[in-house]
Amino acid sequence: MANKVVVNADVKQGTINKNIYGHFAEHLGRCIYEGFWVGEDSDIPNTNGIRNDVVEALKNIDIPLLRWPGGCFADEYHWKDGVGPRENRKRMVNTHWGGVIENNHFGTHEFMMLCDMLGAEPYINGNVGSGTVQEMSEWVEYMTFNGESPMANWRQENGREEPWKLKYFGVGNENWGCGGNMRPQYYADLYRRFQTYVRNYGDNKIFKIAGGANVDDYNWTEVLMREAARFMDGLSLHYYVHPGGFWNKGSATDFTEDEWNITMQKTLYIEELIEKHSTIMDKYDPEKRIAMIVDEWGAWYDVEPGTNPGFLYQQNTIRDALVAGATLNIFNNHNDRVRMANIAQTVNVIQSMVLTENEKMILTPTYHVFEMYKVHQDAERVALDLEVGEVKHGDTSFPQVNGSASKKDGKINISLCNMDKDNSATLDLQLRGADLTNVSGRIITATEMNAMNTFEEPENVKPAAFNGFEANGNALNVELPPKSVVVLSIAE
Ligand code: AHR
């Protein structure tokens, strides 16, 4: 059956905030240490201790924003341990993630330097679970106060004269769980209290993000919005795809056809979550002033055999390219409320962009999707309607194709995912409101459903030119191969 896609290029639907393409880096496993930070004395090429290869790779996908230092780590992190001469910094145990020594060599100054190198905005997550109001307040003063103050003076003694610009600040993380096991009423009160002392100094204006719900905890959103909406600019949401459930997630590489299908179905479930949480937010914030910040998302599987279970290191296959492509399409399509998202996590942890092994680095299929989709960053969303068939398999079913469309720099870009691992999808794509001239396409796909890049074969899965379309008046007949992510670009 031909699936129908209608793109109304003149029906504009607001800007797709580039921060939807944001990232997350926690002091977890080999993300910060080894992944970003190798230290100045390392043989791995670095600039002031930060790996050059990883920075270059991330700049190539126009990384807009980076969230740090956690995650669960954020609510155990005491920022003062991570400033001043490195040799004097406190060594501690990263109790949450693998029980390894954290030497605090990567702290506030190093993170801000990393963001400068990447050209990315910093998003810092403060500690509510085990921290104090004073500690949080002083962190913001340390980073952003311009003039004479105890914290600004200390920052200067530590080598940074000018304050940094800091916009995004999270007041706690997963405070329903690792961030303190709180009830929403209690956290709402704490949020109100802590955020009071997150000050705007000079012209630095902080965008305050409250810790939001886990998956479908709609009561959390209801209580936070009811009690604290006027004190926040953003409310977060966390959702991970675990094909086998949290306790038995399944292998990243060695999975069955059923697991493929369940992964796709669970990926698309995020749309229902966004819609239902948005409906609650609309009740208290009909103007949509408050952004939904999906600051943790991705496919989370069992760790690679033989690796530290607390390090969350997993491989990444063409299945993950589909998870990324479909999720980003959903975020694009909810750009009125979803104005930031941060895939977990940038390097060597969960659904990574890049994997490293000593001096080697490989790009994952997920990375390539972010590279293909960068055309959507800060683009004008345009209307896209899909009428597509269902993939049905036992108890699992999901629409075969998902997509989104936007306009930027004189081009209409349409991203389409064929989530069916066996069958190609034939599309009748009607373009309205623009002339169909000059079409080009790019695709990422593979023959095997678990195709991946490895340190031995780093280019197994990568984008290629896509020619599977034929113009027919102002329409295109498109043939999307099974398990593929395609971006079509139409010059206006
Ligand atoms: O991303 C891994 C962990 O998942 C984060 O630390 C936590 O916030 C979430 O539960």
Side-chain angles (χ1 to χ4, degrees):
M1 168 199 129
N3 301 288
K4 213 170 153 191
V5 184
V6 179
V7 176
N8 281 293
D10 53 351
V11 179
K12 297 182 182 163
Q13 302 191 309
T15 303
I16 295 173
N17 195 314
K18 66 177 177 185
N19 290 338
I20 284 177
Y21 292 81
H23 295 263
F24 169 37
E26 180 166 9
H27 287 235
L28 193 180
R30 298 187 299 113
C31 183
I32 292 295
Y33 297 105
E34 289 184 44
F36 281 110
W37 178 257
V38 287
E40 286 141 348
D41 299 333
S42 170
D43 291 338
I44 298 173
N46 69 85
T47 303
N48 301 329
I50 291 174
R51 291 181 78 120
N52 296 340
D53 52 357
V54 171
V55 168
E56 277 320 301
L58 295 173
K59 279 170 77 169
N60 188 43
I61 54 172
D62 293 349
I63 176 173
L65 172 124
L66 188 61
R67 174 176 183 244
W68 173 84
C72 294
F73 184 79
D75 282 279
E76 295 196 25
Y77 183 58
H78 300 286
W79 70 271
K80 290 182 185 175
D81 298 342
V83 297
R86 278 191 210 111
E87 63 279 11
N88 299 340
R89 294 190 194 169
K90 199 185 264 179
R91 286 163 70 81
M92 58 186 260
V93 179
N94 188 335
T95 41
H96 208 93
W97 300 118
V100 292
I101 295 290
E102 159 69 58
N103 64 14
N104 276 304
H105 280 194
F106 190 92
T108 304
H109 291 249
E110 290 77 16
F111 174 64
M112 290 302 200
M113 174 173 73
L114 170 62
C115 288
D116 272 354
M117 288 162 72
L118 292 170
E121 283 239 30
Y123 166 14
I124 290 196
N125 211 117
N127 179 347
V128 171
S130 70
T132 64
V133 175
Q134 180 178 1
E135 184 182 11
M136 184 179 285
S137 169
E138 287 182 338
W139 199 4
V140 174
E141 178 190 328
Y142 185 92
M143 291 185 281
T144 63
F145 192 83
N146 192 6
E148 163 105 28
S149 87
M151 291 301 117
N153 293 354
W154 193 27
R155 181 192 71 231
Q156 290 175 348
E157 277 164 34
N158 289 336
R160 172 77 188 193
E161 192 61 32
E162 296 297 312
W164 289 285
K165 278 269 162 240
L166 174 70
K167 182 169 177 188
Y168 298 103
F169 193 86
V171 180
N173 167 73
E174 296 198 349
N175 301 92
W176 40 262
C178 64
N181 285 308
M182 301 175 196
R183 291 167 303 127
Q185 293 81 350
Y186 181 64
Y187 172 69
D189 280 346
L190 278 191
Y191 174 78
R192 290 167 62 124
R193 176 165 169 239
F194 273 69
Q195 68 77 38
T196 307
Y197 305 94
V198 173
R199 306 268 190 215
N200 293 325
Y201 293 112
D203 60 0
N204 191 73
K205 173 98 177 67
I206 304 268
F207 184 101
K208 296 174 189 171
I209 300 170
N214 188 32
V215 192
D216 59 352
D217 184 353
Y218 300 114
N219 182 50
W220 185 277
T221 300
E222 176 77 38
V223 174
L224 262 289
M225 289 300 292
R226 189 180 67 221
E227 306 298 343
R230 70 194 165 98
F231 302 104
M232 64 175 83
D233 301 298
L235 179 61
S236 73
L237 171 67
H238 288 182
Y239 175 62
Y240 287 98
V241 172
H242 316 291
F246 187 79
W247 299 110
N248 190 8
K249 302 179 181 75
S251 165
T253 56
D254 187 11
F255 52 86
T256 62
E257 300 195 345
D258 280 353
E259 283 174 279
W260 170 286
N261 290 321
I262 289 166
T263 304
M264 295 304 126
Q265 183 175 280
K266 289 192 171 184
T267 295
L268 297 177
Y269 175 55
I270 200 167
E271 181 144 43
E272 177 178 329
L273 294 173
I274 291 171
E275 285 171 355
K276 289 190 171 163
H277 284 289
S278 290
T279 303
I280 298 166
M281 292 176 80
D282 286 349
K283 191 163 113 191
Y284 298 96
D285 175 35
E287 307 296 320
K288 299 189 194 292
R289 182 188 65 79
I290 300 170
M292 183 183 291
I293 307 282
V294 191
D295 54 15
E296 290 188 28
W297 69 273
W300 184 347
Y301 309 114
D302 294 340
V303 299
E304 290 306 311
T307 64
N308 186 329
F311 278 18
L312 311 186
Y313 176 74
Q314 65 186 48
Q315 249 291 2
N316 197 294
T317 67
I318 188 69
R319 176 174 59 157
D320 299 294
L322 270 299
V323 172
T327 305
L328 291 168
N329 281 335
I330 292 169
F331 292 157
N332 289 346
N333 291 335
H334 291 275
N335 61 334
D336 59 339
R337 187 63 92 174
V338 179
R339 302 205 280 272
M340 188 203 292
N342 309 72
I343 187 169
Q345 300 193 5
T346 325
V347 192
N348 292 333
V349 171
I350 313 184
Q351 190 173 349
S352 305
M353 299 298 115
V354 299
L355 301 176
T356 67
E357 200 178 83
N358 302 317
E359 75 295 348
K360 293 190 203 147
M361 181 197 77
I362 55 172
L363 308 176
T364 64
T366 299
Y367 172 94
H368 291 304
V369 171
F370 273 73
E371 190 274 319
M372 290 165 68
Y373 275 45
K374 67 185 181 183
V375 291
H376 288 308
Q377 290 193 22
D378 276 346
E380 179 80 40
R381 181 181 150 220
V382 297
L384 173 137
D385 293 313
L386 282 170
E387 254 177 59
V388 299
E390 288 276 305
V391 177
K392 289 201 175 79
H393 211 263
D395 292 339
T396 324
S397 80
F398 51 90
Q400 188 183 16
V401 178
N402 101 333
S404 67
S406 70
K407 275 209 280 207
K408 192 165 82 173
D409 300 334
K411 281 192 176 157
I412 302 161
N413 294 298
I414 306 164
S415 44
L416 297 160
C417 297
N418 179 5
M419 306 177 77
D420 188 331
K421 64 174 182 36
D422 298 319
N423 302 297
S424 51
T426 308
L427 307 181
D428 167 21
L429 191 155
Q430 308 275 339
L431 180 66
R432 300 192 186 144
D435 290 332
L436 190 65
T437 52
N438 216 342
V439 186
S440 61
R442 295 177 75 205
I443 184 168
I444 186 162
T445 187
T447 314
E448 301 299 325
M449 68 178 176
N450 63 350
M452 69 190 106
N453 295 329
T454 62
F455 291 95
E456 294 69 43
E457 288 183 75
E459 306 222 336
N460 245 343
V461 187
K462 62 175 184 183
F466 176 66
N467 303 311
F469 55 86
E470 207 179 313
N472 174 10
N474 225 39
L476 280 179
N477 297 326
V478 186
E479 182 92 359
L480 299 177
K483 43 181 141 42
S484 64
V485 180
V486 165
V487 176
L488 293 171
S489 296
I490 302 172
E492 275 194 280

